[in-house]
Amino acid sequence: VLPLDFFVDSAVSRMAPQEGMTLPPAGGEVMDACGNIFASRSPGIVVTPIERFSFYRLARQSYAVVQTLERRPYANYILTKGVVGPDGKDLKP
């Protein structure tokens, strides 16, 4: 597992509903579950919401896409990979 990048403003971005739309309950469940995972595995990482169509544009620039069996809406995240330091831990500023 690769670490997240602590040298950028937001190493984790998530899809958010477009303006005028509301988040379905299942989407909130996904965001809560993923937020808890990021908080426990990478304390201090900020998860930034990005409007749906802006998220799609940003995702097109991604190096790799990982598809899982998650079927709930808004389980879409963009992760910025960090570096493992010489001590074997996540490299942090």
Side-chain angles (χ1 to χ4, degrees):
V1 176
L2 296 172
L4 295 173
D5 191 343
F6 284 86
F7 290 89
V8 296
D9 291 334
S10 178
V12 179
S13 302
R14 67 166 173 81
M15 184 188 295
Q18 70 252 33
E19 189 175 329
M21 300 297 289
T22 58
L23 183 66
E29 292 171 10
V30 168
M31 289 180 193
D32 290 344
C34 290
N36 291 336
I37 292 168
F38 292 125
S40 69
R41 304 288 169 113
S42 296
I45 286 293
V46 175
V47 179
T48 304
I50 299 178
E51 183 272 332
R52 178 180 169 202
F53 295 106
S54 297
F55 183 92
Y56 292 150
R57 284 191 290 278
L58 188 58
R60 283 189 199 102
Q61 300 171 18
S62 296
Y63 175 77
V65 174
V66 177
Q67 183 176 357
T68 68
L69 296 176
E70 178 61 65
R71 302 298 293 169
R72 293 176 290 183
Y74 295 95
N76 303 305
Y77 286 81
I78 296 174
L79 309 176
T80 303
K81 183 190 79 61
V83 177
V84 176
D87 61 356
K89 297 181 181 177
D90 296 358
L91 191 61
K92 298 180 180 180

